[in-house]
Amino acid sequence: GAGVSQTPSNKVTEKGKYVELRCDPISGHTALYWYRQSLGQGPEFLIYFQGTGAADDSGLPNDRFFAVRPEGSVSTLKIQRTERGDSAVYLCASSPLAGTGELFFGEGSRLTVL
Amino acid sequence: AQKITQTQPGMFVQEKEAVTLDCTYDTSDPSYGLFWYKQPSSGEMIFLIYQGSYDQQNATEGRYSLNFQKARKSANLVISASQLGDSAMYFCAMREGLGSASKIIFGSGTRLSIRP
C-alpha cells in the first residue's frame, strides 16, 4: 500500500525492557512525526523530522525516549527501560511540504508495558 | 507557546441535524494553519479540513466547514446534516508557520455521538 506503515501493530513487554517501534512513511514525504496517544486523549507531540534531522524533539518526555531517521525515510522510535506509564498508542505521521502540510497517519503501534 | 483548547468532551446530536465542535487556539505567530481530524473507534486518523491564517474565506469540504474567527482565535468545525457515521472523536490541531514543516499540536478532542 501507499500509506504510512507502522510495525509492530501491537507490542507487549515487561517493565524495564527495551522497545523499538518502526514507521515507514509515504514515499516522498520529507516530514515525519511521532505522537503518543493515551485512551480518550488527543495525540501528544513527541518529535518531528525534516529529512534525516530531528527538527523539534521538545515533546520527548525524558531521555529514555529516542528517535532516528538515518536515511530520511524510515524512522524508529526507541524506548529504553520501559515503564508502565509508557503504555499508549504510538502514532506516526508523514507530511509533504507542499499544499496544506496535512498529516497522513499510520494505524499506530499499541504498546503495553506490564 | 502554542495551545489548542477543545472545551466539549462529548456531544450528542440527532441524526440530520447540524453540529458545531468548538476549538480555540493560542499562538503569537501570525502565520499558522489549523486542521480538523476525525478518529473513529477503529483508531485511524482522518484529515477533514484545513484553514490557513491568511485565508480570506472559511474553508469548506463537502459537509464540513470551518468557522474561522481570527480575532477570537476560534476555529470551530461545523458538520451539516449529520450522519450515523459521523460518530467519532474529533481533534483540532494547529501548526505554527506556513510553507514548511513544523510542530503540529492537537487538542484533547470532542467525542461526537449521533442519535438515530
Side-chain angles (χ1 to χ4, degrees), chain B residues 57-77:
Chain B
Q57 294 189 329
N58 287 345
T60 60
E61 290 286 348
R63 294 187 300 112
Y64 304 107
S65 60
L66 201 152
N67 184 0
F68 182 45
Q69 298 188 40
K70 195 169 182 177
R72 295 180 59 188
K73 295 188 174 180
S74 167
N76 297 342
L77 177 70

Side-chain angles (χ1 to χ4, degrees), chain A residues 31 33 35 37 40-43 45 48-50 56 58 91 97 99-107, chain B residues 35 37 39 42-47 50 89 91 95 99-109 111:
Chain A
Y33 296 75
Y35 290 86
Q37 187 176 28
Q41 298 183 18
F45 172 80
Y48 91 89
F49 291 86
Q50 185 71 284
D56 188 331
S58 61
L91 295 169
L97 287 181
T100 67
E102 74 190 72
L103 298 177
F104 293 77
F105 281 88
E107 295 188 351
Chain B
F35 305 82
Y37 281 82
Q39 188 176 43
S42 57
E44 62 189 304
M45 291 285 282
I46 303 167
F47 166 74
Y50 168 83
M89 284 289 289
F91 295 101
R95 181 188 72 222
S100 63
S102 60
K103 179 178 176 179
I104 299 177
I105 63 164
F106 284 77
S108 56
R111 181 174 298 280

Side-chain angles (χ1 to χ4, degrees), chain A residues 24-97:
Chain A
D24 197 344
I26 292 172
S27 177
H29 282 191
T30 56
L32 185 148
Y33 296 75
W34 283 101
Y35 290 86
R36 177 168 72 175
Q37 187 176 28
S38 299
L39 191 63
Q41 298 183 18
E44 173 193 5
F45 172 80
L46 297 177
I47 184 171
Y48 91 89
F49 291 86
Q50 185 71 284
T52 60
D56 188 331
D57 64 356
S58 61
L60 294 177
N62 50 59
D63 61 6
R64 297 187 297 106
F65 289 75
F66 190 71
V68 295
R69 195 186 185 198
E71 297 178 357
S73 179
V74 172
S75 176
T76 305
L77 178 65
K78 307 179 180 192
I79 310 174
Q80 298 178 321
R81 304 182 304 280
T82 52
E83 300 178 356
R84 292 193 180 89
D86 299 335
S87 296
V89 175
Y90 289 80
L91 295 169
C92 176
S94 67
S95 175
L97 287 181

Side-chain angles (χ1 to χ4, degrees), chain B residues 2-52:
Chain B
Q2 59 186 122
K3 186 177 179 182
I4 291 280
T5 303
Q6 293 180 255
T7 57
Q8 306 154 310
M11 288 188 69
F12 287 89
V13 172
Q14 201 68 32
E15 188 180 9
K16 298 181 185 177
E17 291 184 349
V19 57
T20 298
L21 305 181
D22 295 342
C23 172
T24 57
Y25 59 91
D26 189 23
T27 179
S28 57
D29 194 325
S31 301
Y32 52 89
L34 297 158
F35 305 82
W36 277 91
Y37 281 82
K38 172 184 178 181
Q39 188 176 43
S41 57
S42 57
E44 62 189 304
M45 291 285 282
I46 303 167
F47 166 74
L48 296 178
I49 197 166
Y50 168 83
Q51 180 87 41

